[in-house]
Amino acid sequence: MGNGLAAALKLHAHIDISYKKLDIKKEALKTTSVNWHSKQNKAAHHTSDYSSTEAILRRGQNFTITLNFQTNVQSADNFIFIASTGPSPAESQQTKAVFNPSEDCSSGWSAIQEPSEPGCMTFTISSPANAVIGRYKLVLQINSCNKASSTLLGQFVLLFNPWCPNDDVYMANEKERHEYILNDSGIIFQGLEKYIQQEAWNYGQFEEDILDISLTMLDRSLNHRQDPATDVSNRNNPIYVSRVISAMVNSNDEKGVVQGKWNGKYCSGTNPLQWSGSVSILRKWYRGRYKPVRYGQCWVFAGVMCTVLRSLGIPTRVITNFNSAHDTNINLSIDKCIDISGKTLYLNEDSVWNFHVWNESWFIRRDLGSFYDGWQVLDATPQERSKGIFQCGPASTRAIKEGDVNLDYDSSFVFAEVNADYVTWICYSNKRKERIYSDTRKIGKSISTKAVGTKSRVDITDNYKYPEGSLKERQVYKKALKLLGVRSIGRRTKIRRRRPRSSVAQRRNMTESARKPSISGKFILNASPVIGQDVLITLALRNLISDFKTIKIKLRASAILYTRKPKAEILQWSRLIKLRPEEVKEISFKISYSQYKNSLRDDRKILVTAVCEPKQEASLLVEKDIILQDPFITIKVLGPAVVHKAINVQVTFTNPLSEMVTDCVLKVEGSGLLKEQLKINVARMAPMESSTVQFEIIPYKTGTRQLQVDLVCTHFSAIKGFVTLDVASVQC
């Protein structure tokens, strides 16, 4: 009896142990938690600056995860990892990868089991250098007892990787990678070719929500709405992604981020001059349920696109082209017509902007060949349609320099922006046209970008064209004309396939003036023009020959936009003067504050023109663009900047006008310094009064930071300033 009971108990114990072993095996196949090693992976992938708890990784590079189990597991032979992105993941479209630790995967994804502590398993996972970028799900599938169970391990975001030699966006120079990927602030150059101004811009690509917004822009594109699966599959290609973003930054076709406006009032939105960074614009679009943000102009579009592309991992910079041509019919000639008073007549859509701002991104061109690798022009400003959509680029700067205007994308349009010839005509009431000015060197001057590691300006004109007037430059120009099907008529051009032949009467009314004017002239500013003060100008005319001259002068001054489109007429007069042989005569005049004050509240640009007509001789056109200077805004940081510690900032500014101003606002922003834009109301300022405002900031990131301060007022355009801070870590 005792032996029987003992045997029964032994059998029961054996069965119980067997059941427990089965339970142990079952429990061992369940994960209790996943450690994404966020700090370690972000440091290795240069994504530590992103304000997100999510795993943000770069393609073509290893990352580490650790799986914690309820009990010990010795082998991962029955583990399968599945990484997927997009609404319809498929291995055939590279939006889904299935791989296990024991073998290589044809997709390029891999997992290697690393030594680890009991109860957990650590894996090094690698994605291919041409992986689709975007938000991924990572699933662990475990096959056990002819059953498969799946566990969602988490999500991660995969970005382009300029640090990976096999990535199409690879950039070899570390300082350049830091500038064009990691720098979250910068300088955008504006103004005139001979008066270039610095404007600070807060890119803020690492700020909270910005990466999510950038990915949302891809998901809301027209391409994605038409074919989501194919769109996501194409996101492994920086050519494709950058082109989609160039369309999504403007709102013209795809209900994108920024709505452009170049005329009228800005009461229903924000004056483009008042923006100083991308973060507030992108958040406004995102939080406003994708309603286009009003309003932007070229530097706003370029600033926002730089933010988005840097956030996605594509090296990007902002470029300014001075005297930028907008050649609507791509005949490489900008024809400007004026009447006898100097007023611009808009007989065509061609124009020359004082400056235009676009972007360059760095990647290889598998579609064109390695010669065209490197910097690629992208432009989000909605100027002309490309393949039916307001988008532009990427156009290789090498293609532009060599005149290869037949290559994708939009290289002919960009070539014209920097290379078109400029011809000015006087149009008379009898429909006769006289060519008075032709310049092959005016367009595409001082093409500029911010220097690597400093706030200084770098001239990159040589990247776009050979030296003006050189034999090579003219050869490239003629090559471009030929590729475009344009034939040259003297220094003018005519499109063979687009324009009908002019009638005999029309040709008779078009005078190709061979004579040069017998007089020369220029405008001279007597003092630096400052907003709120009279502008003193002198027109100096010189008789170039030994005959007496009677000159009829028709002078006009207009408030203009940076596109040189007039907003309002400020001043107009005409007079006769006599010039003795080889005499120089100076005619001084002024534009008073009372004359321009109501026309320059949104901008500070004046165009002065004088048409000088000697009797029965070639006319002379004299022009000068004037930018009224702002008073200085002084920013002082009162003490050392230390992360997570409050510091006071003092700002001093002056009302530049001889009248009371009210309802001014001080706007302050800076990535790593302020999480939201700070606004301080300045109730009223007496004429010429200086005011000082003090406020507190608490830096939340270390390193070099840019603090931007703008004084915004309805009485004058925004007064802007910035200062650089070096934020130290906390001393232990």
Side-chain angles (χ1 to χ4, degrees):
M1 182 75 176
N3 291 337
L5 179 59
L9 289 172
K10 186 175 181 180
L11 177 62
H12 178 78
H14 175 75
I15 293 171
D16 188 53
I17 290 169
S18 297
Y19 279 131
K20 285 183 178 179
K21 284 183 178 179
L22 288 173
D23 288 343
I24 289 170
K25 186 175 183 180
K26 184 178 178 181
E27 291 295 326
L29 301 180
K30 288 186 177 181
T31 57
T32 57
S33 64
V34 180
N35 183 354
W36 282 85
H37 299 281
S38 178
K39 188 173 181 179
Q40 172 189 332
N41 285 329
K42 282 186 173 182
H45 288 247
H46 305 92
T47 59
S48 299
D49 286 336
Y50 286 92
S51 300
S52 173
T53 57
E54 194 171 21
I56 301 173
L57 310 166
R58 298 192 187 274
R59 66 184 191 177
Q61 188 170 337
N62 298 336
F63 64 93
T64 302
I65 63 169
T66 297
L67 311 181
N68 296 304
F69 299 95
Q70 289 179 340
T71 55
N72 292 342
V73 181
Q74 300 301 320
S75 173
D77 290 345
N78 56 347
F79 285 17
I80 296 175
F81 291 99
I82 303 171
S84 61
T85 185
S88 305
E91 290 181 86
S92 61
Q93 293 190 304
Q94 292 185 288
T95 52
K96 180 181 180 181
V98 180
F99 55 100
N100 61 50
S102 60
E103 61 185 48
D104 293 333
C105 175
S106 60
S107 68
W109 290 79
S110 65
I112 298 173
Q113 185 178 354
E114 304 289 354
S116 54
E117 299 292 326
C120 65
M121 280 189 174
T122 296
F123 295 92
T124 296
I125 296 177
S126 180
S127 62
N130 65 344
V132 168
I133 62 106
R135 181 168 279 106
Y136 279 77
K137 292 179 181 178
L138 184 63
V139 170
L140 174 63
Q141 181 177 297
I142 303 175
N143 296 321
S144 177
C145 299
N146 297 320
K147 291 183 179 181
S149 62
S150 296
T151 302
L152 176 64
L153 300 179
Q155 294 187 349
F156 62 94
V157 176
L158 197 64
L159 305 176
F160 291 103
N161 191 354
W163 284 266
C164 175
N166 294 323
D167 196 308
D168 285 0
V169 303
Y170 173 64
M171 182 171 265
N173 187 290
E174 175 60 27
K175 290 182 179 179
E176 290 182 346
R177 288 194 296 250
H178 188 277
E179 180 68 45
Y180 301 131
I181 287 291
L182 301 181
N183 195 352
D184 56 8
S185 63
I187 300 294
I188 299 177
F189 296 98
Q190 300 181 24
L192 304 172
E193 173 203 348
K194 295 182 180 179
Y195 182 65
I196 297 175
Q197 299 171 295
Q198 288 186 342
E199 298 289 349
W201 193 266
N202 178 29
Y203 298 120
Q205 67 266 32
F206 303 119
E207 293 302 299
E208 188 175 356
D209 297 333
I210 297 303
L211 178 55
D212 286 340
I213 295 170
S214 300
L215 295 172
T216 299
M217 289 171 66
L218 292 173
D219 288 342
R220 294 192 64 82
S221 71
L222 184 62
N223 292 22
H224 189 78
R225 282 179 277 152
Q226 290 175 341
D227 188 346
T230 301
D231 168 67
V232 174
S233 178
N234 286 330
R235 293 182 190 176
N236 67 332
N237 187 347
I239 300 171
Y240 178 84
V241 170
S242 62
R243 188 162 170 81
V244 168
I245 293 299
S246 82
M248 274 302 297
V249 168
N250 70 71
S251 67
N252 287 48
D253 299 295
E254 312 198 24
K255 296 183 179 179
V257 177
V258 181
Q259 180 177 331
K261 187 173 183 179
W262 283 267
N263 53 50
K265 301 294 183 182
Y266 304 103
C267 302
S268 57
T270 298
N271 185 325
L273 291 164
Q274 294 180 7
W275 297 115
S276 55
S278 308
V279 175
S280 54
I281 295 172
L282 289 165
R283 284 176 176 167
K284 187 177 180 66
W285 177 75
Y286 190 59
R287 296 169 182 175
R289 304 185 70 176
Y290 317 116
K291 182 179 179 181
V293 177
R294 300 175 176 175
Y295 293 101
Q297 291 173 4
C298 67
W299 64 91
V300 179
F301 293 107
V304 171
M305 186 151 71
C306 186
T307 296
V308 174
L309 293 179
R310 284 186 185 182
S311 76
L312 296 175
I314 300 176
T316 303
R317 61 188 185 181
V318 175
I319 308 298
T320 303
N321 177 39
F322 291 93
N323 295 345
S324 187
H326 183 178
D327 184 13
T328 55
N329 53 15
I330 314 298
N331 68 342
L332 304 187
S333 178
I334 304 298
D335 293 314
K336 176 183 176 179
C337 296
I338 62 173
D339 65 14
I340 57 175
S341 72
K343 181 180 179 180
T344 300
L345 303 175
Y346 293 95
L347 305 182
N348 57 51
E349 296 298 319
D350 287 357
S351 60
V352 176
W353 297 9
N354 284 335
F355 67 90
H356 180 47
V357 184
W358 59 66
N359 299 93
E360 286 179 357
S361 290
W362 179 273
F363 45 81
I364 67 173
R365 293 302 298 264
R366 296 183 184 276
D367 57 331
L368 303 181
S370 60
F371 179 80
Y372 301 100
D373 293 350
W375 288 115
Q376 314 291 325
V377 173
L378 293 147
D379 193 347
T381 301
Q383 296 181 90
E384 299 293 329
R385 293 185 185 274
S386 171
K387 300 189 185 301
I389 295 175
F390 281 101
Q391 59 189 348
C392 183
S396 166
T397 57
R398 295 291 298 274
I400 296 161
K401 184 169 184 175
E402 298 300 329
D404 296 326
V405 295
N406 57 322
L407 299 181
D408 285 338
Y409 293 90
D410 310 305
S411 56
S412 59
F413 184 78
V414 181
F415 183 90
E417 287 183 301
V418 301
N419 277 299
D421 287 351
Y422 184 68
V423 184
T424 303
W425 305 82
I426 287 184
C427 298
Y428 296 95
S429 57
N430 62 0
K431 296 186 179 180
R432 185 174 68 88
K433 292 172 67 176
E434 177 190 2
R435 193 185 76 179
I436 60 170
Y437 182 77
S438 181
D439 194 342
T440 64
R441 304 187 183 197
K442 179 182 178 67
I443 302 301
K445 307 293 283 188
S446 301
I447 304 175
S448 304
T449 193
K450 176 188 173 298
V452 173
T454 73
K455 303 295 184 185
S456 59
R457 183 182 72 89
V458 175
D459 191 307
I460 58 168
T461 307
D462 288 347
N463 291 1
Y464 283 82
K465 54 186 178 180
Y466 290 96
E468 291 285 7
S470 67
L471 176 62
K472 183 66 174 177
E473 185 265 338
R474 284 290 98 182
Q475 288 174 342
V476 167
Y477 184 83
K478 290 176 182 178
K479 173 186 176 181
L481 288 175
K482 185 176 180 180
L483 287 171
L484 292 171
V486 179
R487 63 186 177 91
S488 178
I489 307 175
R491 287 190 179 181
R492 296 174 54 246
T493 55
K494 184 175 180 180
I495 300 177
R496 289 174 178 166
R497 62 186 184 277
R498 297 186 185 176
R499 286 183 176 172
R501 291 182 61 85
S502 57
S503 67
V504 173
Q506 286 174 324
R507 292 199 297 273
R508 284 174 180 168
N509 287 332
M510 187 176 292
T511 304
E512 289 287 342
S513 178
R515 295 177 299 169
K516 292 184 178 180
S518 59
I519 56 174
S520 66
K522 63 179 179 180
F523 285 113
I524 302 168
L525 284 171
N526 298 352
S528 295
V530 178
I531 191 77
Q533 299 179 14
D534 296 345
V535 181
L536 306 177
I537 313 174
T538 295
L539 172 61
L541 292 178
R542 177 189 294 272
N543 187 353
L544 299 176
I545 61 176
S546 57
D547 291 338
F548 284 91
K549 297 286 180 189
T550 299
I551 314 294
K552 186 177 183 179
I553 302 171
K554 293 184 177 180
L555 185 138
R556 175 185 297 269
S558 303
I560 61 168
L561 297 169
Y562 75 100
T563 60
R564 303 191 100 218
K565 290 284 181 72
K567 295 194 302 180
E569 187 175 293
I570 295 173
L571 174 70
Q572 186 177 3
W573 56 252
S574 62
R575 67 181 61 173
L576 287 173
I577 68 162
K578 295 185 182 295
L579 287 177
R580 294 190 299 272
E582 299 181 358
E583 179 188 7
V584 176
K585 182 167 285 187
E586 295 185 344
I587 303 102
S588 295
F589 61 97
K590 74 174 180 179
I591 304 172
S592 67
Y593 169 63
S594 61
Q595 288 176 304
Y596 72 72
K597 71 173 186 177
N598 292 326
S599 303
L600 296 185
R601 292 191 172 188
D602 295 330
D603 211 336
R604 309 182 305 278
K605 299 178 180 67
I606 297 173
L607 173 63
V608 184
T609 63
V611 177
C612 306
E613 297 178 282
K615 287 185 178 180
Q616 298 180 338
E617 292 186 17
S619 299
L620 173 72
L621 175 66
V622 185
E623 291 185 310
K624 189 170 186 65
D625 290 276
I626 299 171
I627 296 181
L628 303 185
Q629 298 176 13
D630 287 327
F632 290 110
I633 188 166
T634 304
I635 308 167
K636 291 184 178 180
V637 181
L638 307 179
V642 179
V643 69
H644 303 312
K645 291 193 175 183
I647 185 173
N648 288 318
V649 178
Q650 187 181 86
V651 177
T652 302
F653 46 88
T654 301
N655 172 13
L657 308 182
S658 57
E659 58 188 71
M660 178 78 70
V661 298
T662 57
D663 301 323
C664 294
V665 178
L666 204 66
K667 295 183 177 181
V668 187
E669 67 178 278
S671 289
L673 302 172
L674 290 163
K675 293 190 175 181
E676 297 282 351
Q677 188 181 69
L678 176 65
K679 296 182 180 180
I680 302 169
N681 291 323
V682 181
R684 57 192 298 155
M685 296 175 66
M688 309 303 291
E689 178 187 5
S690 292
S691 295
T692 298
V693 171
Q694 188 166 305
F695 55 88
E696 182 182 273
I697 62 172
I698 304 176
Y700 55 95
K701 288 183 180 179
T702 58
T704 301
R705 300 291 161 191
Q706 184 169 283
L707 183 70
Q708 299 169 205
V709 180
D710 298 354
L711 179 64
V712 176
C713 183
T714 57
H715 299 266
F716 47 80
S717 59
I719 301 173
K720 297 172 177 279
F722 69 94
V723 67
T724 299
L725 291 75
D726 289 316
V727 180
S729 56
V730 178
Q731 298 292 324
C732 297

